[in-house]
Amino acid sequence: MSDVVEKTLTALPGLFDSQTGAAKITNRLKQLVKSITELTSKHEEENLMKQELSSMKEQVASPNTTMKQMKEIMVRAMYCEMMGYEASFTYIHAIKLAQQGGVLEKRVGYLAVSLFLSESHELLLLLVNTVLKDLQSTNLIEVCMALTVVAQIFPKDMIPAVLPLVEDKLSHPKEIIRRKAVLALYNFYLIAPNQVQHIHGKFRKALCDKDPGVMTSSLHIYLQLIRESPDDYKDLTGSFVTILKQVVGGKLPIDYNYHNVPAPWLQIQLLRILSLLGRDDQSASELMYDVLDESLRRAEMNHNITYAILYECAKTIYTISPKAELLEKAVKCIGSFVLSPKINLKYLGLKALTYVVQHDTKLALQHQMTIIECLDHSDFTIKRETLELLFRITNAQNVTVIVKKMLDFLRVCSDDHTIIHLVGKVAELAEKFAPDNSWFIQTMNDVFSIGGDLLQQDVVNNFLRLLAEGSDCKEDDDQLRLYAVGSYLNVLKGNCFHLPQHFLQVMSWVLGEYSHLQESVDQREVICLLTKLLDQKTISSETRVWVLFALTKLSEDQTDLILDLLESLSSSQDTVLRQQAQELHHLSQDSQLHEWVLPHGAPWDSVEVDSSLSFLDGYVSEALAAGAAPYKPPHQRQEELCEERALSLEPYGFNLPVSLSSCSITDRQSPALSSELSGNSAELSQKAGTLILEGVKRVWGKDGYLPHKETTGEGAQVEDPAAALQTSGQQGAAERLEPPDQSQQKEDKQQLASSLFVGLGAQSSTSLLGKSEAPPPRFRRKPRPHASSSSSGASERSSDSSHSSRSTADSFLYGNLLEEEPTTIKPSSDVTKHNHIRANGPEQNKDAGVAVETDRGVNTSHILGSDMVLVRPNTIQDKYPADLTELLPADLKELPRSDVISLTSDPSLSLSSCRVFRDESLLLVIFLSNCTDTAITDVAVQLTCEGLETVSLRGNVIECLEGVSVCHYALMMKDPQTNVSFTGTVSYQTQAGETNSLLFSGTLCTADFIRPLVVTTEEYGKLWLSFSHDVKQNLKLLTDAEDPLGATLNALKETLQLHVVDVIDSEGILACSLLSGAPCLLHCRVNGAALAVWLRSPLPALPDCILYHCQKTLAEH
């Protein structure tokens, strides 16, 4: 440590000034660092830092302090901040130093600002003009410093001020300027992607830049773009392959080499991009085979950085469309990692194996003994990654052994992050592969006990939901519930003081719901056990509520047992407990009311839930009329408390009419509240908090990187996994020398391996070139039934929480999204008695990206999902018209609509779609056309729209003409997004009995969900003052027209369905709203040859989305 400090102090004078007098100035910092290293206690350090901060405060306040002295003070202040002591009095002086100093002073000032201030700091506004001035400077150093600060700490609302200047720097003659400009734009894309959508063409220019540094910087942007939408960049696959070939071939300057490896980080970045582009795309993958083979061949195992390249190569080979030769080489590479005695390489091998077993589980068989040894490894991370690997290869035959290993590991684990991650996986495996009820309940008890208070609520909710919903077999459900009741009664009879709160809550709920099913159990005994829980001081208030609610269900005809409890709780300081006690008291006095409110054995889906709280509408209306403030959720109130007015960075101010200044802010809409249970325990690790690094030192055991095990010099970094491979003669000699106890251990390991890897052999359905089919879960949840509408007509529309519970397969598929059941089409001729589609038509072009799955002899009920719409039209005519919109119902033909586009097709079925724009929703109309002479039956349409809400599905089978079946979805956009993708599946059965599925996909944009908002100028002014989220940008003005402003506004009006409120001279105001009701206001002003646009909305993302479509619309004119 002392050597490092001495070297740093020696270099300090030359770092900040090259003049000879600099050593005298930096003596203060040098003395400060030396004084800190000589201290013996934290108290002495605090006293020293207080003195130093006091001295700096006096110096910065002195009018005689020069810029050179201020520069030295900033260096000391940065050191104090790095030590954890606040020096906020120097922040403003750091900005002044960046504004007023010379080049050296600016350098220190910018560095101090980037370390001192965050993106939300209020002083950052003072730096905008300085950055703008430096970006236009002719001094390259000043431009570089300004671009560096812009890329690090500039917030979203300041981006429009500097974006044009940063764009100009992409064509700067100096490479370093272009590289920093690309990195700044990359940061802008991460913060506000919609504000840089219009310069994607310049990103491509940066990718083709002659300087490798600029090209490398652009890869960061492309990696992010391709992750979001790989199909839009398939045309660049050849370019990325060519770049990687040049890098691997050593075409870059030698400065980019690291340990004689050509640009390793650039190779890794390109491999990740290629893996995204080649996934499920055979033609793109074929372009990559040669360069991947070359990368594997050239990455010789002689340094750690080559191992990273080999790891990425193996992942890429298994991600893209497979090639047998490359797969074999990747397997060999992974095997070398797994067999390495070095911990880092073994971990890398396990991580790679964990990834590839998703594609071929039989690979784990080749290294089963090594995996068994890793389970007992002294390194914590090796154990954890091995368990992750076992999780990926779990099946119904080995689930008990793997879950036992995971639970044993959790019992001795002290890392909170690992516990949260693994208990969710154990719960998922237990639900999916449980061999019987007793094992399932006991495993979940272990999960609740080990997880404790760290357990995510989703695990509890999924377990209770499984018990409540049950499966298709009522007898199996009752047996599971009976076993749970018996298990929890035994637990409560013992010592339950140490049990976690989540476990107590689960037991209380189960006993309250299902203890009456156990005829041999006295309800009075159950009440006594639950009452004892309330006497414990260790249980939380939330758990007391759960227990009290269970007692409320069990209290019928047992009033004498709860009288004392009611007396004690009626005076509780907890208002929730008091309320619960009062409810319990009233229900215990009235048995009929108790039976009506809490009936025994009532199905879980019989309760009507009014999630909109419509019964309070009258009370709310009266309160608002009396002057009460509208309700705001807690997060909105917090935002308004912390939020400041948006910054005005445009060279003009917004001029509203004088009459608007006296307008009051009224009629704010209250956001609707909704709740939903998450059913994916596999996402627990992502929902956990920050990574806890407690216990890192324990990772390095006696097998770790200890000094006596490493060679000296640079060669210590080189790890050769080939050392793990022994010759057959050496292995045989080692086996002959094994003592008897080691032979017994080996037999035990082999027996464990046979239990862990059962089901992965030849009978496994997994293929080296394909993915295995996921086995069905043991507990099949019933689809959630239709929720009755409340008095206000509100109903739950969540596709995961409400479905029809009709007995027949047909009516089962008509979920809560249907407002009317489909009608039968009556064709004018060629009517048959069978329920099918029959049509002759031109065969559509096949979509290369369409996946068609065929299963012969499969029953229709097996292919229909819970949210699929059964289409059963009768025979229709042999021909259909060229314009499919003629088949739309009469009420839709008059509405504005888009052109019909082809979605996908196969030899039997063709799919097309169009968008119909209603005032209250967007209708996505899907046309299904039979392309063969054979009959098609049992057509089922399934649509998935992430980010959109399906309001209703009306007339899914309407009266069609010319042999086409039509269904249409009414969609709403939940949160504003520039583009939203939808995917779907059409399953159908041919006359020959073949069951096929046809995939389709498409894209919708924000413009599809925008409608004109008709308001007066006065109403516009009121709304403008009430909105706080705004965006400003200069757009293209249609200067070729006679009236540029009018032509521009009309173009926006026609394309985006905006309402022009008023136009005065060179200014115009427009209004629109999202279908969900969120408005957006636009103020436009002619600013030279550009149109300065200012957008405001209550939703933060809506102005950015509309601005993007405005830019796109004007660019196309």
Side-chain angles (χ1 to χ4, degrees):
M1 178 64 184
S2 59
D3 294 339
V4 176
V5 173
E6 290 297 332
K7 291 179 180 179
T8 303
L9 295 177
T10 304
L12 281 176
L15 180 63
F16 299 107
D17 205 328
S18 59
Q19 299 178 4
T20 56
K24 183 183 298 184
I25 296 177
T26 55
N27 277 339
R28 294 291 300 271
L29 177 61
K30 183 177 181 180
Q31 186 61 38
L32 174 62
V33 176
K34 281 189 174 181
S35 300
I36 292 175
T37 57
E38 295 171 356
L39 299 177
T40 58
S41 67
K42 181 68 175 177
H43 180 68
E44 293 179 359
E45 178 188 307
E46 291 176 354
N47 291 334
L48 177 63
M49 297 306 294
K50 286 181 180 179
Q51 295 175 7
E52 184 67 21
L53 291 172
S54 177
S55 174
M56 285 192 296
K57 187 177 292 187
E58 293 178 0
Q59 288 182 330
V60 297
S62 173
N64 299 324
T65 303
T66 64
M67 282 293 174
K68 186 175 292 187
Q69 292 172 337
M70 189 65 71
K71 180 185 68 173
E72 190 266 342
I73 294 172
M74 287 302 111
V75 176
R76 289 156 54 197
M78 285 187 279
Y79 190 84
C80 292
E81 288 270 345
M82 292 168 62
M83 292 289 293
Y85 297 91
E86 184 182 9
S88 57
F89 60 89
T90 60
Y91 293 176
I92 187 65
H93 296 282
I95 294 177
K96 289 181 179 180
L97 195 64
Q99 291 173 340
Q100 303 171 4
V103 174
L104 294 177
E105 287 77 14
K106 272 183 175 291
R107 180 185 179 187
V108 176
Y110 273 128
L111 176 61
V113 167
S114 63
L115 293 175
F116 291 161
L117 306 184
S118 63
E119 292 181 358
S120 58
H121 202 284
E122 57 186 4
L123 289 180
L124 204 58
L125 177 62
L126 303 177
L127 198 66
V128 174
N129 286 335
T130 304
V131 171
L132 290 174
K133 182 183 69 174
D134 289 340
L135 284 176
Q136 302 175 61
S137 174
T138 56
N139 190 321
L140 296 181
I141 299 177
E142 292 181 352
V143 177
C144 286
M145 289 188 293
L147 287 173
T148 302
V149 170
V150 164
Q152 288 181 347
I153 60 174
F154 250 49
K156 177 180 178 180
D157 53 357
M158 294 184 185
I159 291 177
V162 298
L163 183 58
L165 294 176
V166 176
E167 287 183 48
D168 293 340
K169 296 299 179 287
L170 291 175
S171 56
H172 198 278
K174 288 295 182 180
E175 296 83 359
I176 188 172
I177 302 296
R178 299 199 301 273
R179 183 164 66 245
K180 287 184 176 292
V182 171
L183 292 176
L185 291 175
Y186 171 61
N187 184 62
F188 291 169
Y189 181 81
L190 295 179
I191 298 174
N194 293 323
Q195 296 192 21
V196 294
Q197 291 280 359
H198 61 289
I199 56 174
H200 281 192
K202 296 184 179 180
F203 293 161
R204 298 201 175 207
K205 184 179 179 181
L207 180 65
C208 303
D209 196 279
K210 61 182 180 181
D211 181 71
V214 179
M215 179 270 296
T216 304
S217 301
S218 68
L219 292 182
H220 295 286
I221 299 177
Y222 274 106
L223 180 59
Q224 191 70 24
L225 292 171
I226 294 172
R227 277 175 180 164
E228 297 171 358
S229 180
D231 293 337
D232 295 340
Y233 301 92
K234 294 285 188 180
D235 58 319
L236 292 177
T237 303
S239 300
F240 291 121
V241 170
T242 303
I243 294 172
L244 183 57
K245 283 182 180 179
Q246 295 178 2
V247 174
V248 173
K251 304 296 184 181
L252 295 185
I254 196 172
D255 295 340
Y256 288 88
N257 290 4
Y258 177 76
H259 286 268
N260 297 323
V261 179
W265 287 277
L266 178 56
Q267 291 190 49
I268 292 172
Q269 195 89 322
L270 287 168
L271 288 169
R272 291 174 179 172
I273 291 175
L274 293 180
S275 67
L276 296 172
L277 294 174
R279 177 177 292 153
D280 300 328
D281 191 333
Q282 180 65 35
S283 59
S285 300
E286 291 175 354
L287 299 175
M288 309 174 189
Y289 291 154
D290 292 341
V291 70
L292 290 175
D293 191 9
E294 184 71 10
S295 297
L296 284 173
R297 186 180 66 82
R298 287 181 178 268
E300 299 176 358
M301 287 190 169
N302 57 4
H303 196 274
N304 287 341
I305 192 63
T306 59
Y307 304 146
I309 297 175
L310 290 172
Y311 172 74
E312 290 296 336
C313 278
K315 284 184 62 178
T316 303
I317 289 171
Y318 268 92
T319 303
I320 66 176
S321 296
K323 183 181 180 181
E325 297 177 2
L326 287 178
L327 291 174
E328 184 180 351
K329 293 181 180 180
V331 169
K332 183 178 179 181
C333 174
I334 294 173
S336 301
F337 286 152
V338 173
L339 297 174
S340 172
K342 302 295 184 179
I343 293 179
N344 282 354
L345 291 185
K346 188 179 290 293
Y347 174 80
L348 195 65
L350 289 172
K351 197 167 186 65
L353 195 58
T354 302
Y355 179 81
V356 301
V357 292
Q358 301 176 69
H359 306 269
D360 186 5
T361 54
K362 290 185 292 185
L363 285 179
L365 293 173
Q366 303 177 17
H367 307 286
Q368 50 185 313
M369 295 310 300
T370 304
I371 295 173
I372 296 299
E373 293 174 357
C374 290
L375 285 174
D376 299 325
H377 203 281
S378 58
D379 192 284
F380 175 82
T381 56
I382 296 293
K383 286 183 179 179
R384 186 178 61 191
E385 193 60 37
T386 305
L387 292 174
E388 182 71 26
L389 172 60
L390 293 178
F391 170 78
R392 300 295 176 89
I393 64 173
T394 305
N395 53 49
Q397 296 173 278
N398 60 11
V399 62
T400 55
V401 182
I402 291 179
V403 167
K404 183 178 181 299
K405 286 292 180 182
M406 297 174 77
L407 291 175
D408 291 342
F409 175 79
L410 284 170
R411 288 188 179 96
V412 297
C413 179
S414 59
D415 181 64
D416 291 348
H417 174 76
T418 303
I419 293 174
I420 294 172
H421 180 69
L422 284 183
V423 292
K425 293 190 176 297
V426 172
E428 182 181 350
L429 293 178
E431 181 179 339
K432 195 172 184 179
F433 301 112
D436 52 59
N437 291 336
S438 60
W439 183 89
F440 174 69
I441 296 297
Q442 186 57 48
T443 301
M444 292 307 298
N445 290 351
D446 293 337
V447 167
F448 295 137
S449 300
I450 296 172
D453 295 333
L454 297 174
L455 198 66
Q456 293 290 321
Q457 190 63 40
D458 285 346
V459 179
V460 177
N461 292 342
N462 288 339
F463 177 69
L464 297 182
R465 181 180 173 187
L466 176 63
L467 289 177
E469 294 180 4
S471 61
D472 297 332
C473 181
K474 186 177 185 304
E475 185 178 346
D476 292 344
D477 297 340
D478 291 339
Q479 290 180 0
L480 177 64
R481 293 160 182 166
L482 284 173
Y483 192 88
V485 170
S487 174
Y488 295 153
L489 285 175
N490 293 332
V491 173
L492 288 180
K493 289 177 182 178
N495 183 11
C496 54
F497 289 95
H498 63 285
L499 296 179
Q501 302 299 313
H502 284 309
F503 198 9
L504 294 175
Q505 294 168 10
V506 169
M507 288 191 293
S508 302
W509 187 87
V510 172
L511 293 177
E513 289 285 340
Y514 304 116
S515 62
H516 67 277
L517 298 176
Q518 195 85 295
E519 296 179 358
S520 60
V521 175
D522 186 4
Q523 296 296 301
R524 300 175 66 87
E525 180 185 1
V526 179
I527 292 176
C528 292
L529 290 174
L530 293 175
T531 306
K532 287 182 181 179
L533 285 179
L534 293 175
D535 297 334
Q536 296 182 15
K537 297 181 179 179
T538 55
I539 68 172
S540 63
S541 298
E542 183 182 1
T543 305
R544 291 178 187 274
V545 173
W546 283 69
V547 175
L548 195 55
F549 190 69
L551 289 172
T552 305
K553 298 176 184 177
L554 299 171
S555 63
E556 187 177 9
D557 301 328
Q558 308 292 341
T559 309
D560 56 320
L561 295 178
I562 60 174
L563 288 178
D564 295 339
L565 177 64
L566 290 177
E567 270 186 48
S568 61
L569 292 179
S570 60
S571 59
S572 172
Q573 295 183 354
D574 192 322
T575 57
V576 178
L577 287 178
R578 286 206 310 272
Q579 177 185 348
Q580 197 80 16
Q582 289 296 325
E583 294 175 0
L584 176 56
H585 175 71
H586 286 293
L587 292 175
S588 62
Q589 299 295 326
D590 190 342
S591 58
Q592 292 184 352
L593 179 63
H594 189 285
E595 178 64 24
W596 182 74
V597 174
L598 299 171
H600 280 302
W604 64 275
D605 53 359
S606 63
V607 180
E608 296 182 4
V609 178
D610 183 7
S611 59
S612 64
L613 303 180
S614 59
F615 55 88
L616 294 175
D617 288 348
Y619 171 78
V620 172
S621 299
E622 293 177 1
L624 290 175
Y631 172 75
K632 298 176 184 176
H635 66 87
Q636 184 179 350
R637 294 196 295 268
Q638 188 65 25
E639 286 179 2
E640 292 184 359
L641 288 175
C642 302
E643 192 177 61
E644 297 179 357
R645 296 294 297 173
L647 301 175
S648 178
L649 301 175
E650 293 293 331
Y652 69 92
F654 180 71
N655 298 319
L656 283 172
V658 179
S659 59
L660 298 183
S661 61
S662 59
C663 296
S664 59
I665 301 173
T666 58
D667 299 333
R668 289 198 184 186
Q669 292 184 347
S670 299
L673 301 178
S674 61
S675 61
E676 182 179 2
L677 290 177
S678 173
N680 189 0
S681 350
E683 297 178 357
L684 291 174
S685 61
Q686 299 175 0
K687 297 178 182 177
T690 56
L691 181 63
I692 299 176
L693 298 179
E694 179 182 358
V696 170
K697 293 184 179 179
R698 293 200 304 273
V699 170
W700 304 103
K702 58 184 180 181
D703 296 330
Y705 289 144
L706 296 179
H708 67 277
K709 289 191 176 184
E710 299 293 337
T711 58
T712 59
E714 293 183 359
Q717 299 178 358
V718 180
E719 300 173 355
D720 188 4
L725 304 176
Q726 297 180 351
T727 64
S728 59
Q730 292 172 330
Q731 292 177 351
E735 292 177 358
R736 289 192 297 271
L737 295 176
E738 284 182 355
D741 56 341
Q742 292 186 5
S743 300
Q744 182 63 35
Q745 291 178 1
K746 185 174 181 180
E747 291 179 4
D748 294 341
K749 290 181 179 180
Q750 290 177 348
Q751 185 175 0
L752 177 60
S754 64
S755 301
L756 286 174
F757 300 98
V758 64
L760 303 182
Q763 284 84 14
S764 176
S765 61
T766 307
S767 169
L768 183 66
L769 301 181
K771 298 183 180 179
S772 61
E773 203 172 298
R778 165 167 172 77
F779 300 106
R780 294 178 179 270
R781 292 196 181 111
K782 291 190 297 186
R784 309 199 67 180
H786 175 68
S788 301
S789 58
S790 62
S791 59
S792 66
S795 62
E796 296 181 81
R797 296 188 176 100
S798 173
S799 61
D800 184 53
S801 62
S802 54
H803 290 290
S804 176
S805 58
R806 304 182 187 183
S807 58
T808 64
D810 292 2
S811 59
F812 166 74
L813 291 169
Y814 304 137
N816 67 307
L817 300 181
L818 293 174
E819 298 182 6
E820 57 183 24
E821 290 194 11
T823 58
T824 304
I825 299 177
K826 298 293 184 182
S828 57
S829 62
D830 194 21
V831 180
T832 68
K833 297 181 181 179
H834 297 287
N835 202 13
H836 62 273
I837 298 176
R838 181 176 182 84
N840 296 327
E843 181 173 339
Q844 304 294 328
N845 295 330
K846 298 180 181 179
D847 190 349
V850 176
V852 180
E853 302 173 2
T854 304
D855 294 320
R856 298 180 179 268
V858 180
N859 191 289
T860 305
S861 60
H862 293 167
I863 65 170
L864 300 180
S866 60
D867 56 349
M868 302 178 84
V869 182
L870 189 64
V871 182
R872 293 185 182 275
N874 274 350
T875 303
I876 50 183
Q877 296 180 0
D878 292 340
K879 298 291 182 180
Y880 51 86
D883 186 6
L884 294 176
T885 57
E886 296 180 7
L887 305 178
L888 291 173
D891 60 333
L892 300 183
K893 286 184 177 180
E894 303 301 325
L895 297 175
R897 60 179 181 269
S898 68
D899 296 331
V900 177
I901 60 172
S902 176
L903 290 177
T904 185
S905 64
D906 67 3
S908 301
L909 196 65
S910 174
L911 267 68
S912 303
S913 73
C914 73
R915 306 183 304 279
V916 178
F917 304 100
R918 275 183 169 175
D919 292 338
E920 68 278 2
S921 64
L922 172 71
L923 287 185
L924 178 63
V925 181
I926 301 176
F927 302 92
L928 301 96
S929 307
N930 190 345
C931 302
T932 67
D933 295 332
T934 60
I936 293 180
T937 61
D938 295 335
V939 180
V941 182
Q942 179 184 13
L943 186 69
T944 302
C945 309
E946 295 184 3
L948 300 180
E949 179 182 358
T950 304
V951 180
S952 66
L953 174 58
R954 248 184 164 167
N956 63 314
V957 179
I958 61 177
E959 187 174 356
C960 301
L961 300 175
E962 306 299 331
V964 179
S965 178
V966 182
C967 66
H968 50 86
Y969 290 79
L971 304 176
M972 299 275 285
M973 180 173 281
K974 299 176 182 177
D975 300 315
Q977 301 181 46
T978 306
N979 294 295
V980 179
S981 299
F982 65 86
T983 58
T985 306
V986 178
S987 300
Y988 62 92
Q989 195 167 23
T990 63
Q991 196 173 29
E994 296 182 355
T995 300
N996 298 338
S997 63
L998 183 63
L999 304 180
F1000 64 91
S1001 63
T1003 304
L1004 302 174
C1005 64
T1006 313
D1008 296 328
F1009 299 90
I1010 293 175
R1011 298 294 180 269
L1013 178 61
V1014 180
V1015 294
T1016 63
T1017 306
E1018 183 178 0
E1019 292 170 341
Y1020 180 97
K1022 293 179 181 179
L1023 292 174
W1024 183 272
L1025 295 175
S1026 64
F1027 299 157
S1028 57
H1029 300 289
D1030 61 354
V1031 173
K1032 302 176 185 179
Q1033 184 72 40
N1034 287 335
L1035 303 182
K1036 175 184 176 182
L1037 184 66
L1038 304 180
T1039 54
D1040 297 337
E1042 182 178 350
D1043 180 10
L1045 178 60
T1048 306
L1049 296 184
N1050 286 333
L1052 296 176
K1053 174 185 175 181
E1054 294 173 0
T1055 307
L1056 303 181
Q1057 301 191 52
L1058 306 179
H1059 171 63
V1060 179
V1061 180
D1062 199 0
V1063 178
I1064 303 176
D1065 296 332
S1066 61
E1067 298 185 19
I1069 52 178
L1070 302 90
C1072 64
S1073 65
L1074 203 60
L1075 284 176
S1076 59
C1080 184
L1081 307 180
L1082 295 84
H1083 172 253
C1084 307
R1085 177 181 176 182
V1086 177
N1087 184 25
L1091 183 70
V1093 180
W1094 190 354
L1095 300 92
R1096 276 196 176 185
S1097 175
L1099 297 182
L1102 185 56
D1104 286 332
C1105 295
I1106 295 180
L1107 178 62
Y1108 165 70
H1109 289 291
C1110 290
Q1111 293 172 336
K1112 184 178 179 181
T1113 299
L1114 297 179
E1116 292 173 353
H1117 275 72

